[in-house]
Amino acid sequence: MRLRLPAERPTEPPTGYKIAHPVLSQDGTRAGFTGVSLGGALPYAVLDDASCVYGRRHRPPARLCDCGFHCVHDRSAAEAMLCTAEHRAALLLEVSVLGAYIRFERGFRYARQRVRVAVAGPCGCGAAAVALADAGWGRPGWRALVPVCAGCVRGRTSVSLAGFARLAGQGVRVVARGGGAGFPDVGSGGAAAGAGLGVPELVAEAALLQARLDWFQSQLARLGERGGGGAERD
């Protein structure tokens, strides 16, 4: 006889943590995430249902398959995955585990999830991020993004943290972690970019716009110098 663990019926959805890369749709109208392991080929929305990556018709999480969303119980375990070179630019996600789930020692495998908070690490230069910019890779129809500061965004396809939150929808909050600082307490609000814009978000938006303006002005100045030089040679 097979022994089964008792069924759980929590009064509130369990909370889990994971890492993922932010993605922006090709037309720039939608935002979401893509995983870093088995399901990385299937971008997902803030509120979404899992599907079997092997194309099987069962409903995740099937006991004899690896399908379903995955997360860990301990936030520090998810943060540790950000130390590896290939995951440095990923975001730390706090999620609600919804629907059917299978509990393991270190986390859950489950059918449905809601991303509540996304924490963006610092820019590659070490400064705090104010935007998410084109990472140079992606999935069909989706551009992967990386956290960038105002000085490094330049002319790359990008979206501010607040803009990404608005495109992703469902009340998700995007929190910037300062350069060289630890991860913020996502429950305390912090420097969050959500549906409502406060002073920190407006300052970040202004810095991003100013950086783009500076870049365009430098490009115009360069073109002007070339045009002027050509006229003198003639």
Side-chain angles (χ1 to χ4, degrees), residues 142-224:
W142 295 88
R143 291 187 179 92
L145 307 176
V146 293
V148 293
C149 68
C152 294
V153 66
R154 298 184 180 274
R156 299 155 68 182
T157 298
S158 62
V159 60
S160 67
L161 300 183
F164 184 88
R166 288 194 298 270
L167 290 175
Q170 297 293 333
V172 66
R173 294 190 297 127
V174 181
V175 181
R177 176 167 66 96
F183 282 91
D185 180 3
V186 294
S188 66
L197 297 182
V199 173
E201 293 76 45
L202 292 174
V203 170
E205 292 271 12
L208 178 60
L209 291 173
Q210 184 62 52
R212 286 175 172 165
L213 179 60
D214 291 343
W215 181 83
F216 280 117
Q217 288 178 333
S218 67
Q219 297 301 306
L220 288 173
R222 184 180 303 174
L223 291 174

Side-chain angles (χ1 to χ4, degrees), residues 8 11-13 25 63 68 92 116 143 146 193 211 222:
E8 297 184 18
T11 56
E12 295 183 357
S25 64
R63 291 185 177 274
L92 173 69
R116 299 202 304 255
R143 291 187 179 92
V146 293
R222 184 180 303 174

Side-chain angles (χ1 to χ4, degrees), residues 19-231:
I19 65 174
H21 295 287
V23 292
L24 182 68
S25 64
Q26 182 179 358
D27 59 6
T29 61
R30 293 174 294 154
F33 306 92
T34 187
V36 298
S37 57
L38 183 65
L42 302 174
Y44 55 86
V46 170
L47 179 63
D48 214 337
D49 295 294
S51 58
C52 181
V53 296
Y54 302 110
R56 299 170 184 167
R57 296 184 179 181
H58 54 236
R59 301 175 67 178
R63 291 185 177 274
L64 300 180
C65 188
D66 296 327
C67 61
F69 289 120
H70 295 71
C71 71
V72 294
H73 302 304
D74 188 3
R75 176 176 169 168
S76 62
E79 291 173 357
M81 290 187 281
L82 294 172
C83 293
T84 61
E86 63 270 27
H87 298 155
R88 286 290 178 95
L91 307 188
L92 173 69
L93 306 185
E94 177 185 297
V95 302
S96 292
V97 175
L98 306 175
Y101 62 81
I102 300 174
R103 181 188 290 271
F104 296 93
E105 180 181 0
R106 298 190 60 188
F108 298 99
R109 182 160 62 90
Y110 49 104
R112 184 174 172 82
Q113 77 174 5
R114 179 189 294 276
V115 180
R116 299 202 304 255
V117 184
V119 181
C123 176
C125 71
V130 299
L132 299 170
D134 192 345
W137 63 276
R139 310 294 185 205
W142 295 88
R143 291 187 179 92
L145 307 176
V146 293
V148 293
C149 68
C152 294
V153 66
R154 298 184 180 274
R156 299 155 68 182
T157 298
S158 62
V159 60
S160 67
L161 300 183
F164 184 88
R166 288 194 298 270
L167 290 175
Q170 297 293 333
V172 66
R173 294 190 297 127
V174 181
V175 181
R177 176 167 66 96
F183 282 91
D185 180 3
V186 294
S188 66
L197 297 182
V199 173
E201 293 76 45
L202 292 174
V203 170
E205 292 271 12
L208 178 60
L209 291 173
Q210 184 62 52
R212 286 175 172 165
L213 179 60
D214 291 343
W215 181 83
F216 280 117
Q217 288 178 333
S218 67
Q219 297 301 306
L220 288 173
R222 184 180 303 174
L223 291 174
E225 291 174 359
R226 291 177 180 175

